[in-house]
Amino acid sequence: MAAGDDRGFATLGRRLQAARERAFVGRGEELAAFGTALRSGGGVLWVHGPGGVGKSTLLQRFAREAAAAGRPVTLLDGRTLDPTPAAFEAAAAPLLAGGGDGVLLVDTFERVQGLEGWFRERFLPRLPDGALVVVAGRTPPDVMWTVDPGWAQTLRPLPLRDLDARDAEAFLDARGVAEGLRGPLLAFAGGHPLALSLGAAVAGKDSGASARWTPAQDVIATLLDQLVGEVPSPAHRHALEVCAHTYVTTEDLLRHVLPDDAAALFAWLRRLPFVESSRRGLFPHDVVREVLEADLRWRDPRGYAEMHRGIGAYLAERVRTAADPDVLEAVGSLFHLHRSVGGTAEQISWRGDGEVYEDLFRPADVPALVRMAAEVENAGSAAAVAFWAARQPEAFRLYRRTRTGELVGFCSWLRLSRPSAEEAAADPITATAWENARALGPLRPGEHLAVGRTWVRAEESALSPVSDLVQWRAIGYCLRADRMAWSFMAMRDDTPMRDYLAAFDFHDVGGHARLGGTEYALFAHDWRAVPADAWLERLDRLLLGDPVDAPGPPAAGLTVLTREEFTDAVRRGLRHLSRPAELAANPLAGTRLVAGASGGDPAKALRRILEEAVERVGRDPRAVKFHRALKATYLAGAPTQEAAAERLGLPFTTYRRHLVSGVERVGEDLWHREIHGT
């Protein structure tokens, strides 16, 4: 090769080297540890972290630092080594044969992980005194390093994390990413170097890229290959997708979705280098979560929907059955499934786990609550807090900073069963809630309405762990409440959360209240019109891209019947199944039972609902004879009850007894659906 060619390659090498130097950001702690080891003469550093986090880049920087210090460097890569002691020793021969100033850098150690015991017990003790070794791999050193008192003093593990926010910005700046594109890139990649690099490369080539940038499938495929790689089986892949979809994964949740080998799959998940553990369960690295989610939704939309609904059903049941101290965790996990719906990601921080905790109310807390209410709102609000703290102390939850115990916020969920002049005088907000409920849909006997309020210090009122816990407590109350007709969330009229609340079917119903000189809007949801299961199903449809009608404010005029009136209307409806005019005039046509399914024709909807209820009676083997009486009388067109009894071959008194029992069954079924929605 000509000398000119050599000079050309040398120039290109220097140019590449300079570009790498300019692009390297952060890693101050790791560089300091390596520099200390260089100066002190030797030791073993073990860099570990998930794929794409920058281990190889860091080792290349270590190599340059060592060379600049005049130390001979041997760089090995597990991807090109045979995983045998002989092959490893042959590759590391320069270090073994040299003096005590050699530096050995071993990249991708997970590819030769089976050598770890030999490496620790046989190879490293033979190195010249003063040699420095750096191992980089996806997994941390095994426990045997730390239980050995010699290695515990010599080995220094260096877990490699994502770049922090400032370094991630510098990373994009070094790659020339325009300011307007950095937001969506950082939202997707966080501080993960490989994801940032791929995103920056694609965005830099796309002249049409904008603030709505999302990773293309080729970026996702590359990240999956680099971060996840091959998995042992489809069951393992499904377990990984479940882990990516949920906030945290427990073995119990995995057993619900994958009943076979859940314990083995959970054990496999917890050993993955990009999966971390918390007191609640397992969770993957954010970038791994996002690419697995995006890949499954693109590759198998039906499978994604089935997985989501299965996990959602499990978590919804957890919310309903959890003990009170566990409600917030259960709701947080459920809501995480819908984090892309209705601006949820912009209203919940999903951070600060453990920074703030929820505390129960104690009588000694009253002065602090009153002071906070006066500070963040006004004297009228403080007086209302004092009134309700004495009247419904169980309605209050407090939020304290874990480190200091300082009170940073509190909320109340008042349960109101009947209007009270005393309560209305003490708190006009509750009086307005009753006025709105009477105008839109009065309560039946045994039902109640709820009014939620929140008081949070100004510095915690936006995205914060406090606001997360307050929202989750509110959702938990709504999903767990028994016989709740209405829930009202009282907020200042100028609240910036109007659109967010409307997306979740909580609407300003018009009747506002004034308290202490401040105007409060009451955002309402009618749980009889849209019960909890239907509310969650709508969130599922929004997430999965299914057609969903835009929610609107609760409509006035919903018919509210007592139990006796409802049962009588069921009897009349069965008698008039073939008469549309009679069905249209039936009181049931204006109830929640029919209003949500009428499609503009309440008579037709009521007939279908009654016929379906008759058929459901027949599904109970103990009620077959009741079903036969109902069918012969109302569905088969018998002109009289006597004729129906004759068709069935029954004495009239026996037939009547069966018919009455059947009508009672239909009435009970439909009443339950009217009240509870299922």
Side-chain angles (χ1 to χ4, degrees):
M1 186 176 292
D5 293 336
D6 290 337
R7 287 195 299 274
F9 278 116
T11 301
L12 176 59
R14 287 197 297 272
R15 191 184 314 138
L16 292 171
Q17 183 74 11
R20 290 175 183 137
E21 290 288 342
R22 288 194 303 271
F24 189 92
V25 298
R27 306 310 188 195
E29 181 181 347
E30 293 79 13
L31 289 172
F34 183 74
T36 299
L38 271 179
R39 291 189 297 274
S40 64
V44 179
L45 305 180
W46 192 296
V47 179
H48 62 92
V53 79
K55 299 183 297 295
S56 297
T57 300
L58 183 62
L59 250 63
Q60 291 167 7
R61 179 61 177 261
F62 286 171
R64 295 195 294 273
E65 296 274 339
R71 305 279 293 266
V73 177
T74 302
L75 180 60
L76 308 184
D77 192 327
R79 290 171 294 189
T80 61
L81 283 173
D82 288 334
T84 65
F88 194 98
E89 285 195 11
L95 182 73
L96 291 168
D101 60 347
V103 176
L104 175 65
L105 307 175
V106 186
D107 198 7
T108 327
F109 192 78
E110 69 272 9
R111 293 294 185 93
V112 292
Q113 199 75 41
L115 297 178
E116 185 172 359
W118 168 84
F119 182 69
R120 179 181 61 247
E121 303 297 337
R122 304 291 299 277
F123 177 79
L124 291 176
R126 294 159 45 208
L127 295 184
D129 190 31
L132 173 58
V133 176
V134 183
V135 175
R138 296 192 176 193
T139 58
D142 71 36
V143 71
M144 295 307 297
W145 295 86
T146 56
V147 299
D148 184 312
W151 282 119
Q153 298 295 319
T154 305
L155 175 76
R156 179 172 179 182
L158 292 175
L160 199 61
R161 307 293 185 185
D162 285 0
L163 299 171
D164 63 27
R166 184 170 58 183
D167 288 338
E169 281 274 5
F171 188 98
L172 295 180
D173 184 58
R175 283 157 176 76
V177 177
E179 288 279 352
L181 283 176
R182 294 183 189 178
L185 269 176
L186 290 169
F188 163 68
H192 190 272
L194 177 60
L196 286 169
S197 293
L198 290 172
V202 173
K205 296 175 183 176
D206 183 2
S207 60
S210 71
R212 294 186 299 276
W213 180 90
T214 56
Q217 285 305 317
D218 57 345
V219 172
I220 290 171
T222 300
L223 285 169
L224 278 175
D225 288 342
Q226 294 294 320
L227 303 182
V228 178
E230 295 294 327
V231 294
S233 73
H236 288 80
R237 168 69 69 170
H238 194 23
L240 195 53
E241 290 163 348
V242 170
C243 189
H245 193 57
T246 56
Y247 191 33
V248 290
T249 299
T250 63
E251 189 174 318
D252 187 56
L253 184 150
L254 207 57
R255 188 178 299 111
H256 176 80
V257 182
L258 288 164
D260 298 330
D261 298 324
L265 291 171
F266 186 83
W268 173 76
L269 283 173
R270 74 190 306 178
R271 292 194 299 268
L272 294 175
F274 50 81
V275 172
E276 299 185 45
S277 300
S278 72
R279 62 184 179 82
R280 296 176 177 177
L282 305 178
F283 61 95
H285 187 284
D286 288 345
V287 172
V288 175
R289 185 192 294 280
E290 293 303 322
V291 297
L292 282 167
E293 283 272 276
D295 178 66
L296 181 60
R297 290 195 72 165
W298 169 77
R299 177 171 49 82
D300 185 8
R302 180 178 296 180
Y304 180 87
E306 290 175 355
M307 178 187 70
H308 169 81
R309 293 184 189 278
I311 295 171
Y314 169 87
L315 294 176
E317 184 61 20
R318 270 193 62 207
V319 171
R320 297 185 185 100
T321 59
D324 188 76
D326 300 325
V327 168
L328 298 184
E329 179 184 331
V331 173
S333 294
L334 176 63
F335 231 49
H336 187 262
L337 299 185
H338 305 97
R339 60 193 179 278
S340 62
V341 173
T344 302
E346 286 75 42
Q347 296 293 339
I348 297 180
S349 66
W350 309 108
R351 64 175 176 81
D353 185 20
E355 289 182 18
V356 176
Y357 69 95
E358 185 182 76
D359 196 11
L360 294 175
F361 169 86
R362 300 171 183 83
D365 294 319
V366 171
L369 302 190
V370 170
R371 282 195 302 272
M372 180 174 286
E375 290 170 7
V376 302
E377 290 194 345
N378 50 55
S381 181
V385 166
F387 175 83
W388 287 113
R391 200 173 186 91
Q392 284 194 30
E394 70 280 1
F396 288 82
R397 293 290 188 278
L398 283 62
Y399 301 94
R400 299 185 184 278
R401 208 173 297 285
T402 303
R403 183 171 54 85
T404 62
E406 173 194 6
L407 180 71
V408 291
F410 67 100
C411 69
S412 69
W413 272 93
L414 305 173
R415 180 186 174 110
L416 306 176
S417 298
R418 63 181 63 86
S420 160
E422 182 184 5
E423 293 172 356
D427 187 358
I429 288 176
T430 60
T432 303
W434 279 113
E435 292 169 5
N436 286 333
R438 280 194 294 268
L440 295 169
L443 274 62
R444 304 180 183 89
E447 294 179 338
H448 72 279
L449 63 81
V451 179
R453 297 281 308 280
T454 301
W455 298 262
V456 177
R457 293 197 185 281
E459 63 270 20
E460 302 286 349
S461 59
L463 284 181
S464 71
V466 181
S467 63
D468 291 355
L469 297 183
V470 168
Q471 287 190 66
W472 292 343
R473 173 55 63 183
I475 296 164
Y477 186 91
C478 292
L479 297 183
R480 288 161 59 89
D482 181 45
R483 301 290 304 274
M484 181 169 67
W486 291 95
S487 62
F488 294 92
M489 294 184 182
M491 298 186 180
R492 290 172 58 105
D493 182 52
D494 59 356
T495 177
M497 295 185 67
R498 283 180 173 273
D499 291 342
Y500 175 68
L501 291 168
F504 288 92
D505 207 16
F506 284 83
H507 302 274
D508 181 352
V509 291
H512 289 194
R514 296 195 70 83
L515 177 62
T518 300
E519 183 175 353
Y520 294 86
L522 273 71
F523 295 87
H525 183 87
D526 182 354
W527 294 99
R528 298 170 301 186
V530 183
D533 286 341
W535 187 78
L536 290 172
E537 172 62 24
R538 180 178 173 276
L539 295 186
D540 287 342
R541 294 199 304 271
L542 285 170
L543 175 72
L544 300 171
D546 296 338
V548 179
D549 293 334
L558 194 69
T559 302
V560 178
L561 303 174
T562 66
R563 177 65 186 271
E564 292 74 19
E565 292 169 339
F566 188 91
T567 301
D568 182 64
V570 168
R571 293 193 193 99
R572 281 189 281 156
L574 289 169
R575 290 199 299 268
H576 299 147
L577 272 181
S578 59
R579 302 178 187 176
E582 294 286 351
L583 290 176
N586 190 295
L588 293 176
T591 62
R592 177 178 69 88
L593 181 73
V594 177
S598 69
D601 189 344
K604 184 177 180 180
L606 178 54
R607 175 169 181 162
R608 184 181 69 255
I609 289 167
L610 289 166
E611 289 175 343
E612 290 172 350
V614 168
E615 292 303 324
R616 280 194 296 273
V617 172
R619 296 175 191 167
D620 182 353
R622 298 166 298 177
V624 171
K625 53 191 177 182
F626 307 153
H627 174 252
R628 292 177 63 227
L630 287 167
K631 192 169 182 179
T633 306
Y634 301 123
L635 304 184
T640 64
Q641 291 189 0
E642 289 79 4
E646 185 176 346
R647 286 184 184 179
L648 294 172
L650 295 174
F652 187 73
T653 54
T654 302
Y655 155 79
R656 280 287 299 165
R657 189 168 65 252
H658 292 176
L659 181 64
V660 169
S661 296
V663 172
E664 288 175 354
R665 288 282 188 114
V666 171
E668 290 170 359
D669 176 22
L670 295 181
W671 176 255
H672 188 275
R673 290 170 183 272
E674 168 72 1
I675 297 300
H676 300 288
T678 57

